[in-house]
Amino acid sequence: MQPRKRFGQHFLHDPGVIRRILDAVAPASGQRVVEIGPGRGALTWSLLERAGTLEAIEIDRDLAAALAVDPRGHGRLTLHVQDVLRTDFVGLRGDGPPLRIVGNLPYNISTPLLFRLLEQREAIADLHAMLQKEVVERMAAEPGSADYGRLTVMIAAYAEVQPLFEVGPGAFRPPPAVWSAVVRLRPSAAPRFAFGTPAALRAVVTGAFSARRKTLRNALKALLPVTEIEACGIDPGLRPETLAPAQFGQLALRLQGLRDRPLGYN
Ligand code: SAM
């Protein structure tokens, strides 16, 4: 069966990389482990053996059919033949312990998938994911760096990010055009800093980073008066990428305050 480009199929074949991922996840018996995109099973059989049971979500019917009859499976594998972007992880968790999610993820859906997973974070204990290296760098970037931006702040609001190791294209068949990296995410049920509503945070962060070279005063002109920025103790002359995630949270609270103010008091 030819790898399907539309499903981002690059299959891991490097035993050293596979072992490092398994060691990082360290699945234990009785844990609820869910693999996204098991493909040809590079990670699947070891995950299953260590955890005893495994749920796997695969969009490609042919790959799922081959996995279902693969004799290498020792344990109880439950296959969900579906699009992970439509998976109800809260329902999957049910009353059980939160899920440990693992995946060498299709790069074409990685950002929407991360946000969908974070929306359902109450169901998730942790996530170990192979992603495009640049995406991991953006997720884990420090304020002031070129990689620091919208993705960094929106993820920092909900999860601790820990980059683990990088993986070259030769570890996959067919090799992707880019380097990859494995990252660990630990979502927290409560937001990691105060920001009001997700919509307010999204608006402030999107506004701020839409014009990286502008000062906050100019980048947020349409959203927040300078006095509101100053009221957060933030210099409106700063560039957006120098602000810590929690400072975007303060600006979002201000924006929400303006939006919630009854008409006539604006
Ligand atoms: N885990 C395997 C490995 O490491 O060799 C395969 C990794 S491959 C990069 C991505 C896998 O995700 C493929 O098996 C692909 O069919 C599957 N996939 C792609 N899009 C998906 C989606 N929307 N929902 C579920 N699985 C998907």
Side-chain angles (χ1 to χ4, degrees):
M1 212 185 335
Q2 285 298 313
R4 293 183 165 129
K5 230 179 168 167
R6 71 177 184 284
F7 293 146
Q9 290 176 354
H10 297 278
F11 300 107
L12 259 176
H13 69 90
D14 182 327
V17 172
I18 294 170
R19 199 190 53 246
R20 286 183 81 183
I21 295 174
L22 290 162
D23 287 348
V25 179
S29 170
Q31 290 180 337
R32 297 276 315 276
V33 183
V34 179
E35 185 182 5
I36 298 175
R40 293 176 179 163
L43 300 167
T44 314
W45 308 124
S46 305
L47 288 171
L48 178 59
E49 197 171 326
R50 294 205 201 177
T53 62
L54 179 71
E55 314 232 12
I57 300 160
E58 175 57 64
I59 200 170
D60 186 323
R61 289 177 182 284
D62 296 328
L63 287 179
L67 285 171
V69 295
D70 196 307
R72 288 174 291 174
H74 299 291
R76 188 157 50 84
L77 173 66
T78 308
L79 275 164
H80 303 270
V81 186
Q82 60 181 235
D83 182 349
V84 69
L85 291 175
R86 293 169 177 271
T87 299
D88 172 8
F89 286 94
V90 176
L92 196 60
R93 175 191 175 182
D95 297 330
L99 309 172
R100 302 201 63 205
I101 300 183
V102 184
N104 170 15
L105 302 182
Y107 297 157
N108 51 346
I109 61 163
S110 58
T111 310
L113 178 57
L114 286 173
F115 283 111
R116 260 199 71 82
L117 291 174
L118 289 176
E119 278 167 16
Q120 302 181 73
R121 61 193 174 282
E122 66 187 269
I124 298 172
D126 60 10
L127 163 72
H128 289 79
M130 174 90 75
L131 296 168
Q132 200 173 322
K133 182 177 159 233
E134 280 71 23
V135 174
V136 172
E137 284 169 348
R138 281 162 49 209
M139 289 164 69
E142 293 294 332
S145 71
D147 293 322
Y148 185 75
R150 186 172 173 267
L151 188 68
T152 326
V153 178
M154 294 307 293
I155 289 185
Y158 300 112
E160 181 197 332
V161 179
Q162 195 183 351
L164 297 178
F165 54 90
E166 295 176 1
V167 181
F172 305 86
R173 285 202 191 104
V178 294
W179 272 66
S180 306
V182 176
V183 65
R184 177 185 290 139
L185 247 75
R186 284 212 179 92
S188 50
R192 296 174 70 240
F193 52 84
F195 57 78
T197 63
L201 182 65
R202 217 169 17 246
V204 165
V205 172
T206 304
F209 287 109
S210 62
R212 288 181 82 94
R213 305 195 62 79
K214 287 190 182 169
T215 59
L216 276 177
R217 175 191 291 111
N218 289 329
L220 295 180
K221 199 176 246 165
L223 288 176
L224 278 175
V226 169
T227 47
E228 296 286 334
I229 301 176
E230 285 169 343
C232 298
I234 297 171
D235 175 358
L238 290 174
R239 295 207 187 282
E241 69 266 23
T242 61
L243 262 59
Q247 291 180 298
F248 285 103
Q250 287 175 279
L251 294 173
L253 282 167
R254 285 276 153 184
L255 175 64
Q256 197 184 327
L258 288 183
R259 287 180 172 174
D260 289 348
R261 215 170 280 173
L263 282 176
Y265 288 87
N266 280 332

